Amino acid sequence: MLLTVSGPPGSGKSTTAELLADAFDLDHVSGGDIFRELAEERGYTPLEFNKLAEENDEIDRDLDRRLREIAIEEDDLVLESRLAGWLAGDQADFRFWLDAPARVRGERIADREDKDPDRATEETKAREASEAQRYEEYYGIDIRDLTIYDLSVNTARWEPDAVLDMLVTAVEEYDTNGDEGKARVGLEYEF
């Protein structure tokens, strides 16, 4: 089974993906972890590395290629990244989108990175705008298009365990006989 968890920074992707992987005894691969590792290997902060990615498309393409290959080659996995649903494409059994208001996401990021919440919110908004532009340019993906997702959840409304319960219920209650059509991604990627 391949589950994807996508959403903007601070939406609860990592927390939810870890819980979901534990609930179904699946491996968990985080695009954010891979991105941060790549940044650290090259001596950059994630924000600096993200800015560098604006000038060097190979950074995004390398990361996305790795995530796409993982989605195609591995089984029993929760794949987590902003583009996980798009990159996994039709390989994914379920695609989930998580979100929360920018202020909430900024506060979450500020808490985990020991930053000023206003600064974290502004940096996050800038990062999102930059990434959205690159996704459109590289792959023709409008990150705001949620039609490929099976379920979208505002994580500011529920605690992590309640969000997990929703996703677990969606997977466990799925009945192929009642499925009237999984959304197709239908993109060809040129990495």
Side-chain angles (χ1 to χ4, degrees):
M1 175 167 48
L2 173 59
L3 308 177
T4 69
V5 178
S6 301
S11 61
K13 290 184 308 296
S14 296
T15 298
T16 302
E18 288 172 15
L19 293 170
L20 198 55
D22 287 345
F24 288 107
D25 195 26
L26 303 172
D27 290 331
H28 170 219
V29 173
S30 166
D33 287 347
I34 293 170
F35 186 85
R36 284 185 284 279
E37 287 172 13
L38 291 171
E40 187 176 323
E41 286 170 10
R42 291 169 174 85
Y44 294 101
T45 67
L47 183 61
E48 292 168 336
F49 200 52
N50 193 60
K51 290 205 180 291
L52 183 62
E54 291 174 3
E55 301 164 11
N56 180 352
D57 68 345
E58 285 305 308
I59 293 170
D60 285 331
R61 292 178 190 276
D62 286 344
L63 174 63
D64 297 340
R65 181 182 310 109
R66 285 176 68 182
L67 293 172
R68 174 85 173 142
E69 289 170 357
I70 290 167
I72 291 170
E73 296 170 2
E74 295 189 27
D75 293 322
D76 299 326
L77 179 70
V78 175
L79 185 64
E80 169 223 336
S81 80
R82 251 166 311 296
L83 288 182
W86 289 97
L87 294 172
D90 299 330
Q91 303 292 333
D93 293 293
F94 295 96
R95 295 180 294 245
F96 301 118
W97 178 264
L98 305 181
D99 206 346
R103 175 192 52 77
V104 172
R105 293 185 293 107
E107 289 171 1
R108 290 174 179 170
I109 292 167
D111 187 49
R112 82 172 174 233
E113 295 180 6
D114 196 28
K115 287 184 179 181
D116 173 71
D118 292 333
R119 178 177 166 219
T121 300
E122 290 309 309
E123 287 177 356
T124 300
K125 286 179 182 180
R127 179 177 167 193
E128 286 178 67
S130 169
E131 290 173 347
Q133 181 178 355
R134 295 193 321 261
Y135 301 151
E136 181 72 38
E137 180 183 320
Y138 299 162
Y139 312 122
I141 293 172
D142 178 356
I143 195 69
R144 298 163 303 195
D145 177 5
L146 304 183
T147 59
I148 68 158
Y149 294 97
D150 299 301
L151 189 61
S152 174
V153 178
N154 176 351
T155 62
R157 308 269 331 257
W158 294 275
E159 293 294 320
D161 286 339
V163 172
L164 173 66
D165 288 345
M166 287 180 221
L167 304 186
V168 167
T169 298
V171 172
E172 289 179 342
E173 295 297 320
Y174 173 72
D175 179 0
T176 57
N177 294 323
D179 188 342
E180 294 183 11
K182 178 171 130 177
R184 295 202 26 86
V185 173
L187 287 179
E188 295 293 323
Y189 297 101
E190 292 183 25
F191 300 108

